[in-house]
Amino acid sequence: MEVDELMCLPRLPRVAVCGGTHGNELSGVYLVRELLKVEKKAVEEEEEPVSVMIVLSNPRATQQCHRYVDTDLNRCFTHATLNGPISDTDPYEIIRSRELNALLGPKGSRQAVDLVCDLHNTTANMGMCFITYSDCDWICLHIFRHLQKEIPDIPMRFIHFDVSNKESYSLDSVGKHGFAMEIGPQPHGVVRSNIYTAMKGGVQHMLDWVRLFNSGAIFRGGFVDVFTMVKHIDYPRDSVTHNITAAIHPHLQDRDFCLLHPDDPLFQTFSGETLRYKGKEPLYPFFINECAYYEKGIALSLARKRRVMIPSIRVETEQEQQANHQQYSSEDEN
Amino acid sequence: MEPVSFPPLSSIAICGGTHGNELTGVYLVREMQKQKVDKIGSVSISTVLSNPRAVDVCRRYTETDLNRCFTDALLSSPITDSTPYEVKRAQELNAQLGPKGSEKAVDMLIDLHNTTSNMGLCLIFYTVDYLNLQIFKYIQSKMPSVPVRAMQLEIPLSDAYSLDALGKHSFSIEVGPQPNGVLRADIFNIVKEAVDHTIAWLQEFNSGSTFEAGEVEAFTVVKSVDYPRDPVTGEISAAIHPQLQDNDFKLLKPGDPVFLSFSGETVKHEGEELYPLFVNECAYYEKKIAFHLAQKRTFKFPSIRMKKD
């Protein structure tokens, strides 16, 4: 593919902005509440090139200011969970994931919203990150590039989890396109003004991009550095109690996305001993010391970085859309 | 000031996990228990995991804040089926480490806490106690690369509600910033060092050393400020302003910004010049405290040594 090649992609008429998927990640909670307040006032606006749904994903967890009530909502969006048998004793979040799938999906269908932006916070020093399942979703990659340009004073990275559509488990996988906007560091249960403002700006610029895209603007291609998750490393643990026996080493703490080399310090035990990275390949650490991951057995995640070339894109015209539709229909007939 | 002497300080309790998600104390106590630390020189040491149930679920508390359950009233309230776990636990701890105000109480109690606020290493005292002031000065002198400060809450013993009210002499060690449910190695190292210095000081004291007279600055809390809230929902409508965030102990003047609303408006400080503490502490949202305001005062203390019979 040439950098000059121009790819035409379908319009994005419906966007969903979701916050409080984890009830104690407060920037998204307060931003969604603020956007809902503003939305009430802006009902009589002139015709918008995009309709925006604002959603508080996990109201019960938000009300309690906990990550979840019964189970992590952001692991409840696999096809299997969404379409599995329904029972009276289902955990709250499974019931809720099905409600959200009906509202924003169904996942995988033509009725699904075009873009889901799911707002998250992390205790890790990650700046602003996009987290997606694809490294070739040009919509998400172009939105990312747009935000990098519009918000240059915030470190921004694009993280890719190489998980198939069948296995994808998070809320952002319900839309035709989707990504999590993850911003840190912020303690859970706390809202930091600078983090809130960054998230507000990120969402605003994302919506501006969608409006520009739908209105026919051409977005030039180029290169994006993509971090693809390779593996996780757990804390060393006591074999009997399963309690952690070391903390992230002070030299690694807060150094998300700084290359970790073989033999670099990883952990410091409570008696002061240093444990070192035993891998053979230098990798990029992220989600270093994320609070919610202690129970998932993850002290840090590791990624490879590579440069991805993205094409120039613009929205399909109506004729192009009809031509494509006819092509699909005739393919269906055959 | 006349020199003052105190009886030997031979028993100390080090408590962690009074709030189950403030992890430094949890892991330091567990480590000391693993190393079977029970005596260092002249000092016998009890290590206590204050709220085991809250620690198990990594929450501040299960039913009610344990660190508000040590008032005289709650310590003597009758136990029924509906008594919250933490009230019962407070009475157990009072039997083990107290009774509060009695001769049998442990000589010194140190309660380990974390805060999401940028408070560095902060000792919290309830009474002006020359011993505590001497230890504060000692820790300050031994840890010059860490911001070490003291905060005082003036509360009479009968109203004192926190765990450290049980010891004859006590203070809390509050260290931040650390998110709840997270363990940072740098914070762990700071708290461990402060505890080690305290035990070293006690041994020196018990060996008969005289500690010179001096003075220290400490911060006495005078009031608290809540977040602006929506009058209907009660939800906060602003966050701590970026210019105040992380600036604990920096003088706040009238006209300085304190809040930035979610719609972008700035709220300014009105009233006298005071020092903000516990700025944006996670657990205080539900207690309706955005930050405390304190006066800075100088406390003088005499030379002290152990009382010889």
Side-chain angles (χ1 to χ4, degrees):
Chain A
M1 177 176 42
E2 304 284 315
V3 176
D4 294 339
E5 181 177 326
L6 179 64
M7 201 165 268
C8 298
L9 299 170
R11 280 187 82 233
L12 305 167
R14 296 162 66 220
V15 176
V17 177
C18 306
T21 302
H22 294 133
N24 57 4
E25 294 177 17
L26 295 192
S27 296
V29 169
Y30 286 106
L31 183 55
V32 155
R33 285 191 180 142
E34 185 64 19
L35 292 172
L36 284 169
K37 261 198 232 167
V38 171
E39 198 189 44
K40 282 202 185 103
K41 292 186 198 153
V43 162
E44 253 97 85
E45 292 279 300
E46 77 240 35
E47 193 194 285
E48 281 271 11
V50 62
S51 96
V52 184
M53 294 172 74
I54 312 288
V55 181
L56 191 69
S57 314
N58 194 338
R60 262 198 225 175
T62 298
Q63 196 258 329
Q64 296 176 14
C65 198
H66 289 151
R67 180 178 177 83
Y68 55 80
V69 172
D70 293 325
T71 190
D72 190 337
L73 175 62
N74 214 27
R75 302 292 182 273
C76 291
F77 293 92
T78 58
H79 283 291
T81 305
L82 290 174
N83 301 306
I86 300 176
S87 139
D88 281 339
T89 53
D90 276 337
Y92 168 72
E93 277 85 6
I94 292 193
I95 299 172
R96 186 62 186 147
S97 71
R98 291 179 180 143
E99 282 173 17
L100 289 164
N101 191 40
L103 180 69
L104 305 176
K107 174 170 169 173
S109 77
R110 285 232 193 117
Q111 290 82 42
V113 297
D114 300 285
L115 177 65
V116 171
C117 171
D118 188 24
L119 306 174
H120 287 268
N121 291 119
T122 173
T123 56
N125 185 27
M126 285 169 61
M128 186 184 294
C129 287
F130 275 34
I131 305 181
T132 72
Y133 293 107
S134 168
D135 58 358
C136 54
D137 183 326
W138 311 131
I139 298 289
C140 293
L141 283 155
H142 268 279
I143 293 173
F144 176 76
R145 272 185 95 220
H146 179 72
L147 260 57
Q148 273 186 314
K149 208 168 51 112
E150 297 296 317
I151 321 178
D153 54 335
I154 296 174
M156 240 181 261
R157 283 108 181 176
F158 194 96
I159 299 174
H160 159 232
F161 278 65
D162 196 6
V163 169
S164 71
N165 186 271
K166 191 156 159 273
E167 305 298 317
S168 60
Y169 48 75
S170 55
L171 172 54
D172 51 286
S173 68
V174 171
K176 295 197 184 82
H177 305 271
F179 62 94
M181 182 183 288
E182 182 91 52
I183 312 190
Q186 180 175 271
H188 299 321
V190 161
V191 59
R192 286 181 68 96
S193 190
N194 61 331
I195 301 283
Y196 171 86
T197 301
M199 193 176 266
K200 190 167 177 206
V203 168
Q204 202 48 61
H205 287 298
M206 184 259 309
L207 293 173
D208 288 346
W209 185 92
V210 173
R211 289 181 188 108
L212 286 169
F213 173 79
N214 286 346
S215 308
I218 294 177
F219 296 93
R220 291 246 146 268
F223 295 92
V224 174
D225 284 333
V226 169
F227 292 87
T228 298
M229 204 279 292
V230 170
K231 61 183 177 182
H232 307 300
I233 298 184
D234 191 10
Y235 291 95
R237 288 177 187 273
D238 181 285
S239 49
V240 174
T241 64
H242 207 59
N243 289 328
I244 67 173
T245 54
I248 293 285
H249 196 279
H251 293 175
L252 176 59
Q253 179 69 52
D254 301 334
R255 287 199 165 84
D256 299 70
F257 302 105
C258 296
L259 193 59
L260 183 73
H261 301 93
D263 227 44
D264 279 350
L266 264 188
F267 300 111
Q268 186 177 79
T269 70
F270 303 129
S271 47
E273 200 194 324
T274 295
L275 304 174
R276 296 178 181 275
Y277 173 50
K278 292 295 168 223
K280 299 276 187 325
E281 182 190 352
L283 291 170
Y284 292 87
F286 64 102
F287 277 127
I288 299 174
N289 209 349
E290 161 53 46
C291 173
Y293 287 178
Y294 283 53
E295 72 175 17
K296 294 189 199 293
I298 298 170
L300 63 146
S301 301
L302 290 167
R304 268 182 211 115
K305 181 169 77 164
R306 69 184 221 287
R307 195 146 270 207
V308 169
M309 206 206 69
I310 68 174
S312 303
I313 63 170
R314 71 159 164 77
V315 72
E316 275 176 344
T317 60
E318 283 201 27
Q319 297 100 303
E320 284 161 341
Q321 197 189 11
Q322 273 164 20
N324 283 336
H325 181 72
Q326 279 171 1
Q327 185 188 7
Y328 295 142
S329 301
S330 61
E331 279 170 2
D332 285 342
E333 280 161 17
N334 288 341
Chain B
M1 286 173 109
E2 282 295 303
V4 175
S5 59
F6 293 89
L9 299 165
S10 46
S11 62
I12 179 174
I14 295 171
C15 303
T18 303
H19 295 133
N21 55 7
E22 293 175 16
L23 296 191
T24 307
V26 172
Y27 283 98
L28 187 54
V29 160
R30 278 184 179 154
E31 182 64 13
M32 292 177 81
Q33 288 174 345
K34 190 167 153 197
Q35 306 295 344
K36 300 196 180 3
V37 174
D38 63 356
K39 201 167 173 70
I40 298 182
S42 56
V43 182
S44 82
I45 299 173
S46 314
T47 48
V48 182
L49 203 63
S50 315
N51 194 339
R53 273 198 210 171
V55 170
D56 268 342
V57 292
C58 197
R59 298 252 153 98
R60 182 176 177 85
Y61 56 81
T62 62
E63 292 175 79
T64 189
D65 189 339
L66 175 62
N67 214 28
R68 301 291 182 275
C69 290
F70 293 90
T71 59
D72 286 3
L74 282 170
L75 286 177
S76 56
S77 67
I79 304 285
T80 69
D81 282 340
S82 59
T83 302
Y85 166 73
E86 277 85 6
V87 173
K88 288 189 257 192
R89 182 64 183 144
Q91 294 191 5
E92 276 173 29
L93 289 165
N94 190 40
Q96 182 185 352
L97 304 174
K100 177 181 174 189
S102 80
E103 265 312 294
K104 295 209 292 201
V106 69
D107 292 321
M108 179 158 280
L109 194 157
I110 299 177
D111 191 19
L112 304 177
H113 286 267
N114 292 117
T115 174
T116 56
S117 306
N118 185 26
M119 286 179 50
L121 171 56
C122 184
L123 306 196
I124 302 182
F125 309 135
Y126 291 87
T127 47
V128 178
D129 175 320
Y130 297 139
L131 264 169
N132 288 346
L133 293 174
Q134 285 277 3
I135 294 174
F136 170 42
K137 182 114 191 164
Y138 181 81
I139 293 176
Q140 263 190 334
S141 69
K142 292 288 183 185
M143 297 179 72
S145 60
V146 175
V148 180
R149 303 176 186 101
M151 173 182 136
Q152 191 223 355
L153 295 162
E154 266 164 356
I155 300 179
L157 190 64
S158 59
D159 297 336
Y161 48 72
S162 61
L163 172 56
D164 47 3
L166 297 186
K168 293 204 187 83
H169 305 276
S170 320
F171 52 92
S172 293
I173 293 181
E174 181 90 50
V175 186
Q178 179 172 274
N180 297 145
V182 162
L183 183 68
R184 286 183 67 103
D186 54 356
I187 301 280
F188 181 91
N189 294 341
I190 285 170
V191 175
K192 182 165 190 300
E193 196 183 335
V195 168
D196 288 346
H197 286 312
T198 303
I199 295 173
W201 185 94
L202 288 171
Q203 287 185 264
E204 264 200 63
F205 175 83
N206 288 342
S207 70
S209 299
T210 300
F211 295 91
E212 288 173 9
E215 61 182 45
V216 281
E217 280 180 341
F219 295 85
T220 303
V221 174
V222 294
K223 63 182 181 185
S224 309
V225 177
D226 189 14
Y227 291 94
R229 288 178 186 270
D230 181 295
V232 175
T233 63
E235 293 293 342
I236 68 172
S237 56
I240 295 286
H241 195 279
Q243 279 179 239
L244 174 57
Q245 180 67 54
D246 301 334
N247 283 325
D248 303 68
F249 302 105
K250 296 209 175 105
L251 187 63
L252 190 67
K253 302 187 173 121
D256 284 347
V258 285
F259 297 111
L260 183 59
S261 79
F262 298 128
S263 48
E265 285 108 40
T266 296
V267 177
K268 298 185 180 177
H269 175 57
E270 286 161 19
E272 45 177 319
E273 289 187 357
L274 287 166
Y275 294 85
L277 315 178
F278 278 115
V279 176
N280 208 349
E281 160 54 45
C282 174
Y284 288 179
Y285 283 50
E286 72 176 15
K287 296 191 200 290
K288 307 217 180 315
I289 297 169
F291 52 93
H292 287 315
L293 287 170
Q295 285 168 342
K296 186 160 66 168
R297 289 158 62 176
T298 303
F299 291 87
K300 292 189 156 76
F301 48 87
S303 85
I304 69 167
R305 62 175 164 79
M306 186 184 72
K307 194 181 287 186
K308 289 174 188 161
D309 285 314

